[in-house]
Amino acid sequence: MTANTAAFLLQRLMQWGITRVYGYPGDGINGIMGAFDRIDDQLKFVQVRHEEMAAFMACAHAKFTGLPGVCLATSGPGAIHLLNGLYDAKMDHQPVVAIVGQQSRDALGGHYQQEVDLVSLFKDVASEYVQMISTPSQTRHVVDRALRIARSQRTVTCIIVPNDIQEMRAIPKPPRAHGTIHSGIDYTTPRVIPRDDDLARAAAVLNDCERVAVLVGAGALTATDEVIAVADRLGSGIAKALLGKAAVPDDLPNVTGLIGLLGTKPTYDMIKECDALLMVGSSFPYSEWLPKEGAARGVQIDIDGRMLNLRYPMEVALVGDSAETLRALLPLLRQKEDGWRRKIEANVRNWWRTLEARALQDADPINPQRVFWELSKRLPDNCILTADSGSAANWWARDICIRRGMMASLSGNLATMGPALPYAISAKFAFPERPVIAMVGDGAMQMNGNAELITLAKYWREWSNPALVIGILNNRDLNQVTWEQRVLGGDPKWVNSQSLPDFSYAKYAELVGLRGIRVDRPEQLVPAWEEALRSDCPVVLEACTDPNVPPLPPHISINQAKHFMQALLKGDVDRRGIIRQSARDFIQQLMPH
């Protein structure tokens, strides 16, 4: 019997090398689910607890493997649930294909149950390609184009499949006639290098300046050696945007760490004092953390010409692959004296001492910085790290020392809550032999993480190495927003919106079949991390942390200081703890030794 269109769709995905689809069933995709059942796990279907998590997992698959991630949802409500995770992929430029069901074509336009105008719904998030299959003969080229465009444009695409189409007889080869499409599956990533004269212009700018700062982002993740070599030649330091945390190791003496509100003092000083900025593979959005316009000359490298000259007026803007372009640029650069670099390296050494001193300060009950500091010293080789948005991202950005061979990611440009745990699960499916550590706030766990622990419990025995640790900051506060209210808005903490109900995450982990460890004293942290990292099943490590430890930016503006004082004067409920912890961290910044 000839296979139906749903079966052909799955076969076409496999021909493209897709091995896994993240999703949740529903009657709008019954035909596709039946086709999955008949292919005997050749293409694995991973059942999540919520469609948003499926999209997060597809995004993470793309981030960690470089290949398209695929997610699947039913029509109407299931399709709508995908959107947040898909926007995470779109805004971080990741190739993801969403496949969604739709009501039968005969019912469309008739205000049928769960009928949603899905083409219009997905038109923004899948702006490069969203297509509804209206006849079986379209299936081949729609799948081919969705995957090819997702890869070539590094973006989200969407395939809509009405449920009556899913059950129709497949047409693998459309008739050879006028108006038909005959597509193929091959795609190769091009080699993109700027022209020689443009490389020479860039080299002239960098050679003419004495204090070059290098800033790298996610586009430099595959250019580690090239970034290091260029920085060595220029005698410069290397700063990182958040998505580029794993682009270069943090244990190099000239790596200054992150830039921006979550950034470091050495990066702030380097950017403020540089006379040239070399930006590689980054669309870091906050211009106030870059040099003042006209204070430094600029060179930018990005594979996407649309992202050039967007954050700082660059003198030379090069379209090219980061690694290829830096390799071509390196022979044109002259070796610089190391006076600028020596100053940067001294600042970096002092900063690591400052971070250690801050982390070891007392808090009530545990300093959240210490949770990350103690983890950092015990990270397994080649581990994969994920983090959620919120205060966890602050400490993850600063206190975790990435080493060569590790991978790390989080929701960058969307900065949405909730992806750390689905990212971690996806990383384990893609690399089952590698240890994975997710760092999550209690807000994100209560939003969707607790449910996704059930997914983890369902699948972890399939992995060759079960090492997966979820570190949770239990401070009973939506801490990042609380501090933003204080520092950016001048408002005290509003308990009604910010306080979270207490919840025993460790006990809940045990309830669903995982291991749970709860720590509420700082001396418990080291043995807890060591136990968690050697566990033979996934672990939830719940740390009860102090919400009043301030995530101090590397530089506090006058307005931020004024707003902070206003919040305290208005009667912030936690003002005593805030003043105590702020004073301690400020003193340690002045005298880290």
Side-chain angles (χ1 to χ4, degrees), residues 99-112:
I99 302 172
V100 296
Q102 178 58 294
Q103 298 306 313
S104 296
R105 292 168 301 163
D106 288 344
L108 295 181
H111 192 63
Y112 199 73

Side-chain angles (χ1 to χ4, degrees), residues 102-110 115 132-136 138 161-166 168:
Q102 178 58 294
Q103 298 306 313
S104 296
R105 292 168 301 163
D106 288 344
L108 295 181
E115 180 190 349
M132 185 175 79
I133 297 175
S134 57
T135 180
Q138 282 182 276
V161 194
N163 55 29
D164 58 325
I165 290 285
Q166 297 169 32
M168 289 183 177

Side-chain angles (χ1 to χ4, degrees), residues 523-538:
E523 63 270 19
Q524 296 173 323
L525 273 174
V526 169
W529 276 125
E530 291 176 348
E531 178 184 349
L533 291 168
R534 65 171 179 263
S535 173
D536 58 0
C537 82

